[in-house]
Amino acid sequence: ASTPRMLAPGLLLFAPSGMVVFSPTRVPAIAAAPRPRATIALQAADGDEALGLAYRTLGIAEDATYDEITEAHIELSERYVGDSPRLAALDDAMERVVNEIMRRRLRGEMRPKVADSPWDERPVQREMPWVPILIFLRKLISPPGFDYAKKVLPTMLFLAFVPWVAPRAAATAGLITYMCGFGFIYNRDKEDVPRDEFGQIGEIRPYETQPLYLTCALMVGVHFASKALAKRLVARLVGAPDGLESILKASLVPLGLTFCALFTRVSKPFA
């Protein structure tokens, strides 16, 4: 005969008399083996927290190389020989760190550190000597604006015309020409100096060394070029009057400085 037995609330199971039937709810659970505390902590944490705990377990920095990670793992494993929980935690920490490094490398966030080899040196790319000169001239030479041309042309053309009208004032006109030419060439593209209500200059600016030297070089070149050109022109004339060479030179200098003032920017190559 079968005897009903209660295995769980609301559940009856018929079994022959003499047989013992166990309910699944009454089967004692088999106790799992205890896990190391450090491993439990690593598994309980997630994301950055678990990764940071793994780095602290190994005692390494977050930018440590693979060799440094391996050395730290070997050193700690030798120190804690026989301590199974600690060794398991070290293995788990190293696995997490290495996996994170591989993921970052696959995403392109880091590059492997490889020692430089003399066989991998790239050939030196040599630049032709005239290339820097062309770049310098490209920055130096620039056409003027209409407003700037209106400032330069009236003054410099008047100074070029003065020696023909008043030859005796050629020396004075030449001095004024050099002063005006220097100001126009050097001060191009510079902001106007602030003045007070009485028209006095309210600010003194220091000179820029390189543009200053370049301006002086241009003026010296214009001086000697004008002198040579005036001498050649007078030599071709038959019966040229005395003083014509000085008048020609005094007229050519303003024209040369006008060209430099209009088409050069001495500050731009050094900006």
Side-chain angles (χ1 to χ4, degrees):
S2 297
T3 304
R5 296 180 182 276
M6 180 69 70
L7 298 181
L11 177 63
L12 293 176
L13 184 63
F14 292 88
S17 59
M19 292 183 63
V20 180
V21 180
F22 294 96
S23 170
T25 58
R26 295 183 180 181
V27 176
I30 300 176
R35 291 179 296 176
R37 294 182 180 178
T39 304
I40 295 174
L42 282 172
Q43 294 178 353
D46 56 352
D48 296 338
E49 182 181 356
L51 186 60
L53 183 58
Y55 279 109
R56 290 194 295 272
T57 301
L58 295 174
I60 57 176
E62 293 186 0
D63 58 347
T65 61
Y66 181 80
D67 293 338
E68 294 173 348
I69 297 171
T70 306
E71 291 176 1
H73 180 265
I74 294 174
E75 181 180 353
L76 293 174
S77 298
E78 293 176 353
R79 182 185 303 176
Y80 297 106
V81 173
D83 190 348
S84 299
R86 183 61 64 89
L87 293 177
L90 291 174
D91 293 339
D92 193 6
M94 181 175 178
E95 183 180 357
R96 289 178 179 269
V97 172
V98 172
N99 290 340
E100 176 63 19
I101 292 177
M102 295 301 297
R103 281 193 294 267
R104 291 172 57 190
R105 184 170 295 177
L106 290 175
R107 290 195 300 262
E109 298 178 2
M110 62 180 299
R111 299 179 61 186
K113 296 182 179 180
V114 181
D116 295 334
S117 173
W119 304 103
D120 297 335
E121 292 181 358
R122 296 181 178 180
V124 179
Q125 296 182 355
R126 297 183 178 180
E127 191 176 50
M128 294 300 177
W130 58 80
V131 173
I133 299 176
L134 293 177
I135 295 174
F136 180 84
L137 293 177
R138 189 179 303 170
K139 294 180 179 180
L140 176 64
I141 300 175
S142 177
F146 180 73
D147 294 336
Y148 183 72
K150 288 194 303 182
K151 295 180 181 179
V152 176
L153 289 175
T155 302
M156 301 304 291
L157 293 179
F158 173 77
L159 291 173
F161 184 69
V162 166
W164 297 95
V165 178
R168 295 182 179 180
T172 304
L175 179 60
I176 298 175
T177 298
Y178 285 114
M179 295 175 61
C180 293
F182 177 86
F184 285 132
I185 297 173
Y186 178 80
N187 292 316
R188 184 180 178 182
D189 295 334
K190 288 185 170 56
E191 298 179 358
D192 294 337
V193 179
R195 299 176 181 270
D196 58 15
E197 56 183 358
F198 300 104
Q200 301 295 326
I201 296 177
E203 179 184 10
I204 299 177
R205 299 176 182 174
Y207 281 108
E208 299 177 6
T209 305
Q210 292 176 327
L212 176 63
Y213 290 160
L214 182 56
T215 303
C216 295
L218 290 174
M219 295 182 65
V220 171
V222 169
H223 172 81
F224 285 103
S226 300
K227 183 177 181 180
L229 182 58
K231 187 175 182 179
R232 179 172 297 182
L233 291 175
V234 172
R236 291 186 177 183
L237 296 177
V238 179
D242 296 336
L244 181 60
E245 181 178 344
S246 300
I247 295 175
L248 283 175
K249 176 190 171 184
S251 297
L252 291 175
V253 168
L255 296 178
L257 295 179
T258 301
F259 176 84
C260 293
L262 293 178
F263 293 96
T264 59
R265 293 182 174 182
V266 296
S267 298
K268 192 173 182 180
F270 309 104

